[in-house]
Amino acid sequence: MDLENGTSTDKIARTRAYRDGELVSEDFPVATLSDHLADERTAVWVDLCAPDTVDLKTVAEELGLHELAVEDAIERSQRPKLDHYRTHDFMSMYAVWLDKESGELDTSELAVFLTPRALVTVRKDARFDVQKVVDRWDASSADLTRHHVGFLLYGLIDFVVDGHFETVQELDEEIEKLEDLLFSERSKDTDVQRRSFELRKSLVQLRKLVLPMREVVNTLMRRDVRAIAHEMIPYFQDVYDHVLRATEWTESLRDLVTTILETNLTIQGNRLNVITKQVTSWAAIIAVPTAITGFYGQNIPFPGFGHFHGFIVSTALIVVASVTLWFVFRRKGWL
């Protein structure tokens, strides 16, 4: 697939070479990977955005990547995982963002090939801003950069996990707003229910992406991964702590949203009880004049029958009884 100025892989690839912890080359052709790796002091990074099988073939041939790992890197909707092959490791993970307007979770899938002296990132779409990862690498100290691929992998995973943590924090803020809406005097039950289900759906989706990362990072520290130096283990331990915090926070927020839904149903029930009391109270007040006028409308003589003072007495009974009932119900909080 040679094009006018290079192969299609070169069109979508971004490359870097580090020697003894220093950046020595950037944006070189993928076909020259083996030339850079001929120097044992050199480590390389290759980034591919939405490649197809042909695009990834050159990298796979240069680094000896397993065909099953290459297939997983191309296919979408892989679960977060870490697979071990004879010459390299394959990792799948997700960057996440929260759309505060809709409450939905946006995700970007990322595949990673890890060899002793090469790190290959395969972005399934362009939404993942790899430049922020590069900026983080460039801002790191020389004590980290000298660890080659282990340093590159740490910067990448740390950036992704920080995104998980920020998303959980944003969800927490949205749930706090939901709590304020729940107890607002002008609360709209439909809005509370809709927002609750949106946030709960995002939390469930986030949990599916964050929870497996705990095992991924733990395996990187536990397994004999040749690309990670022993000196880098404390840094991965710090990432692991962040993963645990994000996972636990996600679990607690999911329980909190469930509690909010249950509380909203309880509040609706209480409001229904209040309305029932009010309707019943007014019905009782209306029943009093109905009973009195019905009694005075009977066709047999009674005190005041056929006289004006009888009308005055009946009217007075209606007013006094109705007002008395109103005060009684008001005192009980029914009105």
Side-chain angles (χ1 to χ4, degrees):
M1 288 190 65
D2 290 337
L3 300 176
E4 183 179 356
N5 295 320
T7 65
S8 63
T9 304
D10 295 333
K11 295 293 184 181
I12 64 173
R14 182 173 181 179
T15 55
R16 274 190 166 198
Y18 293 84
R19 183 179 297 118
D20 295 329
E22 295 184 1
L23 179 64
V24 295
S25 181
E26 190 171 5
D27 294 331
F28 52 85
V30 173
T32 63
L33 279 176
S34 56
D35 297 335
H36 287 83
L37 293 175
D39 187 345
E40 295 184 355
R41 298 176 303 166
T42 302
V44 298
W45 167 62
V46 179
D47 175 69
L48 301 173
C49 182
D52 56 22
T53 304
V54 177
D55 295 328
L56 198 53
K57 183 179 180 180
T58 302
V59 179
E61 292 176 349
E62 289 285 321
L63 299 178
L65 304 179
H66 197 281
E67 60 180 355
L68 292 179
V70 173
E71 182 181 345
D72 287 345
I74 296 175
E75 293 182 355
R76 293 180 178 271
S77 302
Q78 296 290 321
R79 66 178 180 84
K81 63 178 180 177
L82 177 64
D83 294 334
H84 179 69
Y85 296 91
R86 185 178 61 85
T87 61
H88 63 90
D89 292 282
F90 173 78
M91 182 186 306
S92 178
M93 56 186 174
Y94 289 80
V96 298
W97 306 271
L98 178 67
D99 186 346
K100 294 184 179 181
E101 186 67 25
S102 64
E104 295 181 354
L105 197 68
D106 291 330
T107 63
S108 180
E109 189 174 353
L110 183 69
V112 180
F113 294 95
L114 182 66
T115 75
R117 291 195 294 123
L119 179 73
V120 180
T121 55
V122 180
R123 292 176 288 150
K124 303 297 179 70
D125 54 65
R127 289 181 297 171
F128 182 82
D129 190 359
V130 74
Q131 181 59 42
K132 292 182 179 180
V133 180
V134 174
D135 294 340
R136 182 170 296 199
W137 287 339
D138 293 341
S140 300
S141 64
D143 292 338
L144 283 178
T145 57
R146 64 186 178 87
H147 293 298
H148 297 306
V149 175
F151 148 71
L152 296 175
L153 180 62
Y154 161 70
L156 176 64
I157 295 182
D158 188 46
F159 176 78
V160 171
V161 172
D162 284 349
H164 294 172
F165 202 82
E166 291 174 2
T167 302
V168 176
Q169 188 174 13
E170 291 175 351
L171 282 168
D172 191 3
E173 294 173 355
E174 293 300 313
I175 291 175
E176 287 183 359
K177 296 178 182 179
L178 184 61
E179 292 175 347
D180 296 337
L181 181 62
L182 179 64
F183 294 102
S184 174
E185 294 182 358
R186 297 182 178 181
S187 176
K188 297 182 179 179
D189 296 331
T190 303
D191 293 341
V192 172
Q193 291 178 357
R194 178 181 55 81
R195 192 64 172 173
S196 297
F197 280 111
E198 289 173 350
L199 295 178
R200 180 174 173 81
K201 180 181 178 180
S202 296
L203 284 168
V204 171
Q205 185 180 0
L206 180 62
R207 181 180 181 274
K208 293 179 180 179
L209 304 180
V210 173
L211 186 60
M213 287 298 296
R214 181 173 58 184
E215 183 62 25
V216 169
V217 179
N218 187 40
T219 304
L220 284 173
M221 296 186 296
R222 184 180 66 246
R223 180 182 291 172
D224 184 18
V225 180
R226 293 175 295 276
I228 299 178
H230 179 72
E231 292 80 2
M232 291 297 300
I233 296 300
Y235 295 94
F236 282 90
Q237 180 65 54
D238 181 68
V239 175
Y240 181 70
D241 291 339
H242 289 172
V243 172
L244 286 181
R245 290 179 59 191
T247 302
E248 294 171 354
W249 202 350
T250 302
E251 293 284 359
S252 62
L253 290 181
R254 191 176 63 159
D255 294 339
L256 182 57
V257 172
T258 301
T259 302
I260 290 176
L261 286 171
E262 294 174 350
T263 303
N264 186 45
L265 292 176
T266 301
I267 292 176
Q268 290 182 19
N270 292 337
R271 289 173 180 167
L272 180 61
N273 290 336
V274 171
I275 294 174
T276 302
K277 290 179 181 179
Q278 292 175 341
V279 172
T280 304
S281 300
W282 283 111
I285 293 175
I286 296 173
V288 170
T290 301
I292 294 175
T293 54
F295 176 80
Y296 276 86
Q298 56 188 322
N299 297 322
I300 58 175
F302 55 88
F305 178 77
H307 300 280
F308 181 74
H309 69 271
F311 168 75
I312 298 299
V313 171
S314 63
T315 303
L317 286 175
I318 292 173
V319 173
V320 171
S322 298
V323 172
T324 301
L325 286 175
W326 186 87
F327 275 109
V328 171
F329 294 152
R330 186 75 174 180
R331 186 174 181 180
K332 290 180 176 292
W334 296 359
L335 287 176

